[in-house]
Amino acid sequence: LFIERYDINTERKFFERHPHYGDFVNMPVFGALQTEQLTSEDSFTAKILEPIIRVYNQYNLQQDIVAVNKLYQTLYQERSTPTIIYLHCQAGCDRTGEIVAAYRMQYHGSSLAEAIIKNNAECGRRQKPTSIHGANLYSQYLKEQGVTITCQN
């Protein structure tokens, strides 16, 4: 994230100098963690980390919900000029893919698997496990909210 700080500041300053080009919105997304990713044979460490991971993942899910809703509002906001939405992370695959997968599931009815397959194809590589797990948590959230997710090929 420290590497991205320079890019974020550059983009923010550009839109401050040129507000007629649009708005700068920064919404950090970090990916979700799985206990299996952080533990080895040390079950004591796993027991300590498990509640921390649960809280972290809940925070990340809330960030995803806000980001997906903001993306939807931005896409469908009436504007007098054309709008470009530049959604990216450092590589443009993982955290970006987490939000794009969540958006596809919520607003396009894609399944989790379908969203991840599309993301991988568009990125040219597999998403990292933290971002796939984040999309999976979003999928579970949608099911809890009663959102029907069906594949649309």
Side-chain angles (χ1 to χ4, degrees), residues 1-65:
L1 294 174
F2 295 107
I3 297 169
E4 294 173 351
R5 185 174 293 156
Y6 175 80
D7 295 333
I8 290 169
N9 286 334
T10 300
E11 292 168 11
R12 179 179 285 121
K13 287 176 186 174
F14 174 84
F15 284 103
E16 285 172 359
R17 287 191 308 270
H18 307 285
H20 55 281
Y21 284 134
D23 301 317
F24 174 79
V25 178
N26 179 36
M27 304 187 84
V29 174
F30 303 104
L33 301 175
Q34 293 174 288
T35 314
E36 305 84 54
Q37 290 173 306
L38 301 177
T39 61
S40 56
E41 296 90 35
D42 188 357
S43 63
F44 177 74
T45 303
K47 288 178 185 174
I48 291 172
L49 290 177
E50 196 167 339
I52 296 168
I53 291 171
R54 230 184 350 264
V55 169
Y56 170 84
N57 284 346
Q58 186 58 37
Y59 170 78
N60 187 69
L61 175 61
Q62 293 305 314
Q63 294 297 100
D64 285 1
I65 292 167

Side-chain angles (χ1 to χ4, degrees), residues 4-145:
E4 294 173 351
R5 185 174 293 156
Y6 175 80
D7 295 333
I8 290 169
N9 286 334
T10 300
E11 292 168 11
R12 179 179 285 121
K13 287 176 186 174
F14 174 84
F15 284 103
E16 285 172 359
R17 287 191 308 270
H18 307 285
H20 55 281
Y21 284 134
D23 301 317
F24 174 79
V25 178
N26 179 36
M27 304 187 84
V29 174
F30 303 104
L33 301 175
Q34 293 174 288
T35 314
E36 305 84 54
Q37 290 173 306
L38 301 177
T39 61
S40 56
E41 296 90 35
D42 188 357
S43 63
F44 177 74
T45 303
K47 288 178 185 174
I48 291 172
L49 290 177
E50 196 167 339
I52 296 168
I53 291 171
R54 230 184 350 264
V55 169
Y56 170 84
N57 284 346
Q58 186 58 37
Y59 170 78
N60 187 69
L61 175 61
Q62 293 305 314
Q63 294 297 100
D64 285 1
I65 292 167
V66 170
V68 168
N69 288 327
K70 177 70 174 172
L71 179 58
Y72 179 84
Q73 291 168 2
T74 303
L75 281 169
Y76 292 98
Q77 181 179 2
E78 292 270 338
R79 297 178 189 266
S80 59
T81 57
T83 301
I84 296 171
I85 297 175
Y86 182 50
L87 178 68
H88 72 95
C89 57
Q90 191 68 19
C93 292
D94 302 303
R95 290 170 287 149
T96 300
E98 181 176 334
I99 297 304
V100 171
Y103 185 88
R104 285 178 165 146
M105 289 184 290
Q106 184 163 347
Y107 293 108
H108 292 204
S110 297
S111 69
L112 174 62
E114 183 181 33
I116 297 301
I117 288 168
K118 285 180 182 178
N119 287 352
N120 291 343
E122 291 167 357
C123 185
R125 68 167 172 81
R126 288 183 46 83
Q127 275 185 265
K128 291 181 181 172
T130 53
S131 297
I132 292 172
H133 186 55
N136 183 40
L137 292 177
Y138 201 91
S139 173
Q140 292 171 19
Y141 158 78
L142 290 175
K143 289 175 186 171
E144 290 169 4
Q145 298 301 308

